[in-house]
Amino acid sequence: MLYEFSKCSSTEIIMKKVAIVQSNYIPWKGYFDMIACADEFILYDDAQYTRRDWRNRNQIKTPQGQQWLTIPVKVKGKYHQTIRETEIDGTDWAEAHWKAFGRNYRRAPHFEQVAAVFEPLYLERQHTQLSMLNREFIEAVCAYIGISTQIRNSWDYALSDGKTERLADLCAQAGATEYISGPAGKDYIDEHVFAERNIKLTWFDYTGYPEYPQLWGKFIHGVTILDLLFNCGKDAPRYMKHVASFAG
C-alpha cells in the first residue's frame, strides 16, 4: 500500500485509510476494490447476522441466468447472533458449490488455473464458523490478484457503543486519518462524529466498471468475483479500478 508523508518540522504524519465492512461469501469485484483502496480493512463481523444477505451467499452466472450459491447456517431464534457467532450447518454445500462452478465455468479461459487455488478450499477444508470461512476466501482472492492490504477482525479492537461512534472509534484505534465507507453509509453515518476525531470521511464509488469477456449472454456486473477470475485470470485487475495489474 502507498502511504503519504507530510513533514512539519521534525514531525512525520502518516496518512492511513481504513475501511470497515462485514465479511461476505466470495464477494463481487467492488468489495475487493474497496479492500485495495484501503491500507487496513477491518472485517466487522461483530455486527448482527442478517438473513438473505451477502454474508453466506452470492451469485454465479449460468446459461439460465443468475444462480444463488448459499451456505447453510445455524440460527438462534430470530437471528439474534453476530456474524462471528454464526455456525455453518453441515459440509455437503461445499461439494455442491464447487460442482456448480465446474458446470458453469469449465469453458472459461482460466478455469483450470483458478481452480487450482479455490478447489482445495471447497473440497479439503471444513470450516465450522462462517466468519472464518469468508475471511479465508477473501484472503485467497486478494493473494491471487495482488492486493496486499492488511486485513483484521473487528474483535482485534475494543468496541464502543453507538453505530457511528463505534466505526469512528475503530478507525481511531487503527490510527486512521481517513475512513472509506460504502455509499449506503450515507443513510446512517453521522459525519460530525468523524469530523470531531479529525478523520476524513470519503464515500466509495462502485460505478463505472468496464465489462469483461463473460460467458452466457448479456453482461452482469454483480456476480461473485470468481466469475471475473475464471474469465480473465491474472488480467482481472484490468477490469477493476483500484487494483494495480501485476505479473504473476
Side-chain angles (χ1 to χ4, degrees):
M1 302 309 301
L2 297 179
Y3 289 80
E4 299 176 11
F5 296 91
S6 175
K7 290 190 176 181
C8 180
S9 300
S10 60
T11 302
E12 189 176 74
I13 301 174
I14 299 178
M15 311 300 289
K16 182 178 181 180
K17 298 179 181 180
V18 169
I20 305 171
V21 181
Q22 295 96 328
S23 73
N24 292 347
Y25 173 52
I26 50 172
W28 79 301
K29 59 180 178 281
Y31 189 100
F32 290 94
D33 243 344
M34 179 181 278
I35 296 178
C37 201
D39 299 302
E40 180 174 328
F41 189 81
I42 299 175
L43 293 168
Y44 185 36
D45 283 2
D46 284 295
Q48 182 174 328
Y49 170 79
T50 47
R51 185 185 180 193
R52 293 179 179 175
D53 213 332
W54 300 102
R55 314 302 161 236
N56 67 315
R57 65 177 190 166
N58 220 300
Q59 293 184 326
I60 63 173
K61 195 177 179 193
T62 79
Q64 293 75 39
Q66 291 161 264
Q67 175 187 329
W68 285 103
L69 297 182
T70 302
I71 300 174
V73 297
K74 300 175 183 178
V75 296
K76 304 172 184 178
K78 294 184 178 180
Y79 300 92
H80 295 311
Q81 64 198 57
T82 64
I83 302 166
R84 178 186 181 186
E85 295 170 332
T86 301
E87 297 180 356
I88 297 170
D89 190 4
T91 59
D92 292 346
W93 66 271
E95 184 177 358
H97 285 200
W98 186 249
K99 285 182 177 178
F101 281 117
R103 285 194 304 272
N104 295 288
Y105 290 99
R106 193 164 297 281
R107 298 181 186 178
H110 302 276
F111 179 82
E112 294 299 331
Q113 181 191 70
V114 176
V117 175
F118 291 95
E119 183 177 16
L121 299 186
Y122 280 98
L123 303 185
E124 298 175 15
R125 303 281 287 148
Q126 291 190 357
H127 283 289
T128 59
Q129 301 296 127
L130 178 64
S131 184
M132 294 297 97
L133 179 142
N134 284 349
R135 176 164 179 164
E136 182 167 30
F137 275 89
I138 289 167
E139 290 180 333
V141 173
C142 287
Y144 182 82
I145 59 178
I147 297 175
S148 59
T149 300
Q150 181 183 30
I151 298 177
R152 301 190 68 178
N153 295 311
S154 53
W155 55 87
D156 294 334
Y157 298 100
L159 299 178
S160 58
D161 294 328
K163 184 171 288 188
T164 302
E165 289 77 9
R166 176 174 288 189
L167 294 174
D169 194 45
L170 282 170
C171 286
Q173 291 180 68
T177 56
E178 181 176 347
Y179 174 56
I180 304 169
S181 172
K186 295 178 181 180
D187 295 336
Y188 62 85
I189 287 179
D190 182 352
E191 298 186 27
H192 297 292
V193 174
F194 284 92
E196 290 171 355
R197 288 169 170 77
N198 294 317
I199 298 173
K200 180 182 178 182
L201 177 61
T202 59
W203 306 106
F204 196 79
D205 181 10
Y206 288 120
T207 65
Y209 284 106
E211 296 183 1
Y212 55 86
Q214 191 180 62
L215 298 176
W216 316 127
K218 184 179 179 181
F219 188 86
I220 300 173
H221 279 289
V223 291
T224 172
I225 194 171
L226 294 187
D227 180 276
L228 171 60
L229 302 190
F230 286 134
N231 284 299
C232 300
K234 294 290 186 178
D235 284 336
R238 295 183 182 181
Y239 302 95
M240 302 172 73
K241 297 190 290 186
H242 298 283
V243 183
S245 296
F246 77 108

